[in-house]
Amino acid sequence: MRAAVALVPASLPPARAQQAPLQDKPFAEHKIVLQLSDSDPKKQALVISVANNLLKFYDPDKVAIEVVAFGPGIDLLRSENAGRKLVESLIAQGVRFDVCLNTVETIERETGKRPDIIPAATPVQVGVAQILLLTENGYTLVRP
């Protein structure tokens, strides 16, 4: 048992440990992280369009796409958002949508109400840290 424990790095930063693990797409030849930090419906539509276009251009098994929403960008992942069905369709095709819990908690603190986020969204503690983790692991950052 001790040998197994010794394999875990003791210096793993707590913030990284709280981030979502990388997508499990072993055959992905392309890895893209799309940043969404804006509540503008046109930008939200653009992120959805870019993800759809990448899935069409590459075989869905050959591309890993992760959308990281933080700040006002989490509006795309609210249950009442008009683009919900499009987001859920992308999730069904293997696109992951991350929601920043720091943003969710800030909204709850300021308004007294926790925003209702679609259940299929992957919670990450710090959206920007998730982007950093992904880029450090070979993902290309795109800000549509």
Side-chain angles (χ1 to χ4, degrees):
M1 189 71 161
R2 286 187 183 194
V5 173
L7 296 175
V8 177
S11 63
L12 187 63
R16 180 170 287 181
Q18 296 173 0
Q19 295 310 109
L22 300 176
Q23 283 194 6
D24 184 23
K25 287 213 172 184
F27 302 108
E29 297 169 0
H30 309 281
K31 299 184 286 187
I32 293 94
V33 56
L34 300 172
Q35 175 181 325
L36 181 58
S37 53
D38 195 314
S39 66
D40 179 2
K42 289 180 183 177
K43 292 220 176 158
Q44 293 176 4
L46 185 56
V47 166
I48 290 169
S49 177
V50 168
N52 269 316
N53 290 339
L54 287 167
L55 289 173
K56 288 177 189 172
F57 189 77
Y58 300 108
D59 179 320
D61 289 331
K62 301 284 185 193
V63 62
I65 305 168
E66 191 153 338
V67 177
V68 179
F70 62 93
I74 74 160
D75 287 351
L76 177 64
L77 302 178
R78 289 180 183 251
S79 296
E80 68 273 8
N81 188 294
R84 178 180 179 163
K85 294 221 182 294
L86 295 171
V87 169
E88 290 171 338
S89 170
L90 287 169
I91 290 170
Q93 297 175 72
V95 176
R96 187 160 84 184
F97 283 80
D98 298 333
V99 60
C100 175
L101 290 179
N102 279 355
T103 300
V104 170
E105 291 162 2
T106 297
I107 291 169
E108 183 177 21
R109 234 183 357 265
E110 291 175 353
T111 67
K113 184 177 185 304
R114 192 168 185 90
D116 189 20
I117 302 297
I118 62 171
T122 302
V124 298
Q125 190 61 48
V126 181
V128 174
Q130 182 69 9
I131 291 172
L132 183 58
L133 173 68
L134 292 167
T135 58
E136 288 173 343
N137 284 278
Y139 280 68
T140 300
L141 173 61
V142 178
R143 288 189 57 213

PDB file of all heavy atoms in Angstrom, residues 6 55 66 69 82 86 105 114 122 133-134:
ATOM      1  N   ALA A   6       3.256   6.469  -2.489  1.00  0.00           N
ATOM      2  CA  ALA A   6       4.473   7.176  -2.861  1.00  0.00           C
ATOM      3  C   ALA A   6       4.430   7.680  -4.299  1.00  0.00           C
ATOM      4  O   ALA A   6       5.143   8.604  -4.647  1.00  0.00           O
ATOM      5  CB  ALA A   6       5.684   6.260  -2.661  1.00  0.00           C
ATOM      6  N   LEU A  55     -16.827  19.753 -34.891  1.00  0.00           N
ATOM      7  CA  LEU A  55     -17.348  18.385 -34.919  1.00  0.00           C
ATOM      8  C   LEU A  55     -17.629  17.923 -36.342  1.00  0.00           C
ATOM      9  O   LEU A  55     -17.434  16.751 -36.667  1.00  0.00           O
ATOM     10  CB  LEU A  55     -18.621  18.276 -34.079  1.00  0.00           C
ATOM     11  CG  LEU A  55     -18.447  18.372 -32.571  1.00  0.00           C
ATOM     12  CD1 LEU A  55     -19.799  18.433 -31.879  1.00  0.00           C
ATOM     13  CD2 LEU A  55     -17.612  17.213 -32.039  1.00  0.00           C
ATOM     14  N   GLU A  66     -13.600  21.436 -25.290  1.00  0.00           N
ATOM     15  CA  GLU A  66     -14.045  21.784 -23.944  1.00  0.00           C
ATOM     16  C   GLU A  66     -14.341  23.277 -23.925  1.00  0.00           C
ATOM     17  O   GLU A  66     -13.502  24.081 -24.322  1.00  0.00           O
ATOM     18  CB  GLU A  66     -12.961  21.430 -22.932  1.00  0.00           C
ATOM     19  CG  GLU A  66     -13.430  21.511 -21.513  1.00  0.00           C
ATOM     20  CD  GLU A  66     -12.662  20.580 -20.584  1.00  0.00           C
ATOM     21  OE1 GLU A  66     -12.067  19.595 -21.048  1.00  0.00           O
ATOM     22  OE2 GLU A  66     -12.664  20.867 -19.376  1.00  0.00           O
ATOM     23  N   ALA A  69     -16.771  28.121 -19.208  1.00  0.00           N
ATOM     24  CA  ALA A  69     -17.560  29.331 -18.987  1.00  0.00           C
ATOM     25  C   ALA A  69     -17.300  29.865 -17.583  1.00  0.00           C
ATOM     26  O   ALA A  69     -17.374  29.123 -16.603  1.00  0.00           O
ATOM     27  CB  ALA A  69     -19.046  29.018 -19.167  1.00  0.00           C
ATOM     28  N   ALA A  82     -31.954  30.221 -23.747  1.00  0.00           N
ATOM     29  CA  ALA A  82     -32.580  29.788 -25.000  1.00  0.00           C
ATOM     30  C   ALA A  82     -31.710  28.796 -25.775  1.00  0.00           C
ATOM     31  O   ALA A  82     -32.227  27.994 -26.553  1.00  0.00           O
ATOM     32  CB  ALA A  82     -32.884  31.005 -25.877  1.00  0.00           C
ATOM     33  N   LEU A  86     -29.174  23.403 -27.696  1.00  0.00           N
ATOM     34  CA  LEU A  86     -27.962  23.330 -28.517  1.00  0.00           C
ATOM     35  C   LEU A  86     -26.775  22.870 -27.673  1.00  0.00           C
ATOM     36  O   LEU A  86     -25.961  22.054 -28.115  1.00  0.00           O
ATOM     37  CB  LEU A  86     -27.678  24.687 -29.161  1.00  0.00           C
ATOM     38  CG  LEU A  86     -28.711  25.181 -30.169  1.00  0.00           C
ATOM     39  CD1 LEU A  86     -28.423  26.628 -30.565  1.00  0.00           C
ATOM     40  CD2 LEU A  86     -28.739  24.280 -31.390  1.00  0.00           C
ATOM     41  N   GLU A 105     -20.816  30.827  -7.043  1.00  0.00           N
ATOM     42  CA  GLU A 105     -20.850  31.205  -5.629  1.00  0.00           C
ATOM     43  C   GLU A 105     -20.903  32.721  -5.450  1.00  0.00           C
ATOM     44  O   GLU A 105     -21.573  33.218  -4.537  1.00  0.00           O
ATOM     45  CB  GLU A 105     -19.649  30.597  -4.907  1.00  0.00           C
ATOM     46  CG  GLU A 105     -19.756  29.076  -4.813  1.00  0.00           C
ATOM     47  CD  GLU A 105     -18.440  28.370  -4.504  1.00  0.00           C
ATOM     48  OE1 GLU A 105     -17.399  29.048  -4.318  1.00  0.00           O
ATOM     49  OE2 GLU A 105     -18.459  27.129  -4.462  1.00  0.00           O
ATOM     50  N   ARG A 114     -28.790  30.910  -5.776  1.00  0.00           N
ATOM     51  CA  ARG A 114     -27.822  30.178  -6.601  1.00  0.00           C
ATOM     52  C   ARG A 114     -28.395  30.042  -8.015  1.00  0.00           C
ATOM     53  O   ARG A 114     -29.541  29.629  -8.179  1.00  0.00           O
ATOM     54  CB  ARG A 114     -27.556  28.802  -5.998  1.00  0.00           C
ATOM     55  CG  ARG A 114     -26.373  28.084  -6.617  1.00  0.00           C
ATOM     56  CD  ARG A 114     -26.019  26.859  -5.751  1.00  0.00           C
ATOM     57  NE  ARG A 114     -24.832  26.198  -6.224  1.00  0.00           N
ATOM     58  CZ  ARG A 114     -23.597  26.470  -5.836  1.00  0.00           C
ATOM     59  NH1 ARG A 114     -23.402  27.442  -4.957  1.00  0.00           N
ATOM     60  NH2 ARG A 114     -22.573  25.816  -6.307  1.00  0.00           N
ATOM     61  N   THR A 122     -20.153  20.501 -16.369  1.00  0.00           N
ATOM     62  CA  THR A 122     -19.154  19.977 -15.444  1.00  0.00           C
ATOM     63  C   THR A 122     -18.676  21.113 -14.542  1.00  0.00           C
ATOM     64  O   THR A 122     -18.122  22.095 -15.034  1.00  0.00           O
ATOM     65  CB  THR A 122     -17.951  19.404 -16.224  1.00  0.00           C
ATOM     66  OG1 THR A 122     -18.412  18.384 -17.110  1.00  0.00           O
ATOM     67  CG2 THR A 122     -16.900  18.849 -15.276  1.00  0.00           C
ATOM     68  N   LEU A 133      -4.917  24.533 -17.039  1.00  0.00           N
ATOM     69  CA  LEU A 133      -4.650  23.093 -16.988  1.00  0.00           C
ATOM     70  C   LEU A 133      -4.743  22.478 -18.387  1.00  0.00           C
ATOM     71  O   LEU A 133      -3.881  21.702 -18.793  1.00  0.00           O
ATOM     72  CB  LEU A 133      -5.646  22.407 -16.050  1.00  0.00           C
ATOM     73  CG  LEU A 133      -5.602  20.880 -16.026  1.00  0.00           C
ATOM     74  CD1 LEU A 133      -4.309  20.384 -15.405  1.00  0.00           C
ATOM     75  CD2 LEU A 133      -6.810  20.324 -15.273  1.00  0.00           C
ATOM     76  N   LEU A 134      -5.766  22.848 -19.119  1.00  0.00           N
ATOM     77  CA  LEU A 134      -5.958  22.293 -20.461  1.00  0.00           C
ATOM     78  C   LEU A 134      -4.836  22.722 -21.404  1.00  0.00           C
ATOM     79  O   LEU A 134      -4.292  21.899 -22.145  1.00  0.00           O
ATOM     80  CB  LEU A 134      -7.326  22.702 -21.012  1.00  0.00           C
ATOM     81  CG  LEU A 134      -8.525  22.073 -20.290  1.00  0.00           C
ATOM     82  CD1 LEU A 134      -9.811  22.767 -20.698  1.00  0.00           C
ATOM     83  CD2 LEU A 134      -8.595  20.584 -20.539  1.00  0.00           C
TER      84      LEU A 134
END
